[in-house]
Amino acid sequence: MSNVPEIFGSMVFSEAVMQARLPHATYKEVVQAIRQGKRLTPEIATVVATAMKNWAVEKGATHFTHWFQPMTGVTAEKHDAFVHPTGDGRAIMEFSGKELIQGEPDASSFPSGGLRATFEARGYTAWDPTSYAFVKDGVLYIPTAFVSYTGEALDKKTPLLRSMQALNKQAMRILRLFGDTQTQAVRATAGAEQEYFLVDKSVYDKRKDLIYTGRTLFGARPPKGQEMEDHYFGAIKPRVAAFMKELNDELWKLGVVAKTEHNEVAPAQHELAPLFSTVNIAADHNQLTMELMKTVAKRHGMECLLHEKPFAGVNGSGKHNNWSISTDTGENLLEPGDTPAENAQFLLFLCAVLKAVNEYQDLLRISVASAGNDHRLGANEAPPAIMSVYVGDELEGVLKAIMSGEKFAGGGKELFKVGVSVLPRFSKDATDRNRTSSFAFTGNKFEFRSPGSSQSISEANIVLNTAVAEELRRFADRLEAADDFDADLHDLIEQTVKENIRIVFNGDGYDESWVEEAKRRGLLNLRTTPEALPHYLAEKNIQLFEGNKVFTETEMRARYEIMQENYAKTIRIEAMTTSDMVRKDILPAVSAYGGMLAKTLAAKKMVEGVDSSYEQSALKRLCELTAMTSKAADALDEYIMQSASITGCEDLSCFCRDKIFATMSELRIYVDEMETITSAKYWPYPTYGEMLFSVR
Ligand code: ADP
Ligand code: MG
């Protein structure tokens, strides 16, 4: 058994460690800076740096790194030793305040969407003191933001921190309007439930597609898939349990509160949920979680697959982003209160979220758009690409009452009046039954179910924070100018519910009829990444991000290019892997098996009265399929070639989807059929059954 209290946070330079190791005055300043997002003076930074270094060295660190999150979506690090030569042939361990606060990793090969070419080649990392430093594998990790010389964001953290500031500013205005004088800061919180697959290393190593693309590009359905649903919440196998135990220990050491874990619906699929925290920390922790899942799995002879759709025909993996807003005193602003006044405040925040999701459906969809996630959102899997909000029956009743002016419980003669009527408590159990909604209210938080398992949660939270900040800003502008606050508040809520009710949907999001219904309501259904991305640069979206100081238009254009590029690159890598597997392994294997069949057939034909119909029909079908496969592979190679000369990013991503991806899909049909006919001895890859049931 692990001694949880002892190991938890043991590798983190936490507030408690700072309190114990820093002079009291310095500690106070650092805590102030963390709480209020202020800068530290160079003098203070020097004191902190020395204490941090001494602590890290005791934990076995010899190096430090500015840990950042470039636009690739993974994390980046470059290690520097603490070592400083003393000039007499010896060396000491040193770490300056300057080294703590700012780094210059060069790192010029990360995507910048042209930002660094236009401005200045250098990129800087800047310490984010709100996310604690930690020691991992002998290295002191300092969480940082990555910006260009002129201050443009080159990463996913900078805009996330900016969006938190925007939300804080506008939410504080609202709280003051409701007479709250206590709260000093409002922060967004997130808890990211992470789904993943585990496969044995021996099968993984034999699949080029898993190695190069993270998903299987081929594979016929296994005799048994997820149809029995016997894996979901089933007993955890000893090998997986050992992995989970070690993963928990590693995460706990780094202060990540890994809380629940269980088997998911698909065979070999699992989930880990942490306790929620402030969003920038939740984003850092989710990156650490994904990284450690991969390294710990390897130690157990397994590979962890984080791709959104590693296997066709069984459920894909998502990452539910649970999101709420809370005060620095710990009050959850999406929790309905006990008094009518508290309820009115709750309703206003709820309205801000409904309006934000309705008006910025496109941005939310884009925040989760990737080639991998298209297999979930665009296909017949939960949740759909349509953004809608599930609120549960009780809350929907309240919204209807607000619109009609009638009391929500049972009609009656009493009128519903915001700020006067008391709302029911929305129990989690009553509201959390709908698992098909993209955005579900679950009692005191929203669960955004669309993010893909491999994605950074930063993108989704940047959009959520900023869009809600924008709605709160408009509300505050209006309410601050109100003569009669209560009356104006009532009107504002009523108007907002009426104008945004189309986004509320409590039904089955899988159902085909919802697609029709959503269309009637005028909701967007952006099935694929190339379809979704162009909405990013809509005027209203530029205004949103510029107005809330989250992105400049230049930054947005850069990001847009990177998103488009990422899509095209992913599809092209998949296509080249497809072509390689087909030509080097699959066609030769099937051809060899066909040759064997042909020989047997010829031999059997020599014997009178022998039935050779099996060899005859199998060979015939295999020959047809190999011919079609070979032809499609030629077409695929031709498209890959053509794509190299397409210049516009929109044209390229559409070409990748319509020509390259479509041809890959066609190829897959032929190959999967050949797999079902070819002898297992000849088939060059582990089958779906072997992969999905490889960890026993
Ligand atoms: P379920 O498993 O039914 O989806 P849980 O209650 O287990 O729901 O919560 C799922 C996730 O939501 C957890 O990561 C949890 O920490 C997170 N969560 C709970 N409350 C909040 C909140 N106020 N803000 C953000 N995330 C939250
Ligand atoms: Mg969930």
Side-chain angles (χ1 to χ4, degrees), residues 559-603:
R559 254 151 229 268
Y560 176 65
E561 294 253 323
I562 294 171
M563 289 187 283
Q564 288 278 21
E565 250 171 40
N566 281 346
Y567 177 82
K569 273 186 199 160
T570 307
I571 300 289
R572 282 168 46 113
I573 291 170
E574 289 186 350
M576 286 188 275
T577 308
T578 297
S579 172
D580 180 278
M581 290 172 79
V582 165
R583 291 185 191 285
K584 301 240 175 73
D585 303 328
I586 296 167
L587 284 176
V590 177
S591 174
Y593 178 60
M596 198 279 292
L597 277 179
K599 255 195 228 152
T600 311
L601 182 62

Side-chain angles (χ1 to χ4, degrees), residues 284-584:
D284 285 357
H285 283 182
N286 182 249
Q287 294 291 344
L288 279 175
T289 302
M290 290 194 286
E291 187 191 316
L292 281 166
M293 279 176 168
K294 288 195 160 283
T295 47
V296 174
K298 280 189 211 296
R299 284 188 218 143
H300 290 256
M302 300 185 286
E303 287 286 340
C304 171
L305 309 179
L306 292 172
H307 193 280
E308 283 73 18
K309 193 74 179 174
F311 304 101
V314 295
N315 274 12
S317 297
K319 173 147 51 196
H320 295 173
N321 186 77
N322 295 274
W323 179 91
S324 188
I325 340 175
S326 91
T327 65
D328 55 352
T329 51
E331 187 201 342
N332 183 347
L333 296 172
L334 292 178
E335 178 98 51
D338 294 320
T339 66
E342 283 169 359
N343 284 328
Q345 184 184 301
F346 160 76
L347 283 174
L348 191 65
F349 279 105
L350 180 79
C351 278
V353 177
L354 291 181
K355 191 160 172 337
V357 178
N358 186 26
E359 285 175 7
Y360 300 102
Q361 295 161 52
D362 49 357
L363 285 179
L364 278 172
R365 172 65 184 89
I366 290 164
S367 77
V368 298
S370 73
N373 214 17
D374 280 0
H375 294 283
R376 295 173 65 231
L377 306 184
N380 238 346
E381 191 162 329
I386 306 163
M387 296 293 137
S388 67
V389 185
Y390 172 83
V391 294
D393 295 338
E394 278 177 312
L395 196 49
E396 194 184 25
V398 172
L399 298 180
K400 285 201 170 124
I402 291 171
M403 290 194 293
S404 67
E406 278 166 27
K407 195 172 184 290
F408 58 89
K413 283 195 190 84
E414 276 176 87
L415 294 183
F416 183 88
K417 192 95 181 119
V418 169
V420 179
S421 307
V422 182
L423 302 184
R425 277 274 174 177
F426 308 105
S427 57
K428 198 179 142 56
D429 288 337
T431 53
D432 200 27
R433 294 228 177 87
N434 187 319
R435 298 253 160 213
T436 64
S437 172
S438 40
F439 204 84
F441 184 68
T442 53
N444 60 4
K445 63 185 190 308
F446 281 95
E447 182 170 8
F448 186 27
R449 299 201 173 110
S450 308
S453 47
S454 72
Q455 295 178 316
S456 155
I457 60 164
S458 296
E459 302 288 348
N461 287 298
I462 290 167
V463 173
L464 268 171
N465 293 344
T466 313
V468 172
E470 171 65 17
E471 306 306 353
L472 292 175
R473 182 188 68 74
R474 293 179 200 166
F475 291 174
D477 283 353
R478 175 162 163 187
L479 292 174
E480 278 168 0
D483 294 327
D484 179 347
F485 178 76
D486 287 340
D488 227 54
L489 175 67
H490 180 90
D491 291 349
L492 174 61
I493 289 177
E494 185 186 317
Q495 182 192 346
T496 309
V497 172
K498 279 183 178 158
E499 285 171 3
N500 297 280
I501 194 71
R502 69 168 185 171
I503 200 72
V504 173
F505 176 63
N506 283 346
D508 182 357
Y510 288 5
D511 207 87
E512 261 313 297
S513 65
W514 169 229
V515 176
E516 287 308 309
E517 167 68 16
K519 202 188 221 165
R520 268 195 300 279
R521 295 187 187 192
L523 298 178
L524 292 169
N525 183 7
L526 305 168
R527 283 180 173 271
T528 65
T529 299
E531 198 181 340
L533 290 183
H535 291 257
Y536 189 67
L537 294 174
E539 194 52 43
K540 73 170 175 70
N541 294 338
I542 295 176
Q543 273 173 14
L544 170 77
F545 282 129
E546 283 212 320
N548 288 284
K549 300 197 165 56
V550 172
F551 288 124
T552 61
E553 185 172 340
T554 314
E555 286 173 328
M556 286 180 74
R557 292 195 181 278
R559 254 151 229 268
Y560 176 65
E561 294 253 323
I562 294 171
M563 289 187 283
Q564 288 278 21
E565 250 171 40
N566 281 346
Y567 177 82
K569 273 186 199 160
T570 307
I571 300 289
R572 282 168 46 113
I573 291 170
E574 289 186 350
M576 286 188 275
T577 308
T578 297
S579 172
D580 180 278
M581 290 172 79
V582 165
R583 291 185 191 285
K584 301 240 175 73

Side-chain angles (χ1 to χ4, degrees), residues 197 199 207 209-210 213-227 266-267 269 305 307-317 372 374-376 379-381 574 661 664-665 668-669 672 675 686-689 691-693:
F197 280 83
V199 295
R207 297 280 319 204
D209 44 5
L210 286 183
T213 73
R215 74 179 180 100
T216 54
L217 298 170
F218 305 107
R221 300 287 145 89
K224 182 182 176 194
Q226 66 185 49
E227 47 284 275
Q269 194 185 30
L305 309 179
H307 193 280
E308 283 73 18
K309 193 74 179 174
F311 304 101
V314 295
N315 274 12
S317 297
D374 280 0
H375 294 283
R376 295 173 65 231
N380 238 346
E381 191 162 329
E574 289 186 350
F661 184 75
M664 281 165 55
S665 307
R668 178 174 185 147
I669 294 171
D672 289 356
E675 186 187 331
T687 63
Y688 261 42
M691 285 185 281
L692 287 168
F693 299 94

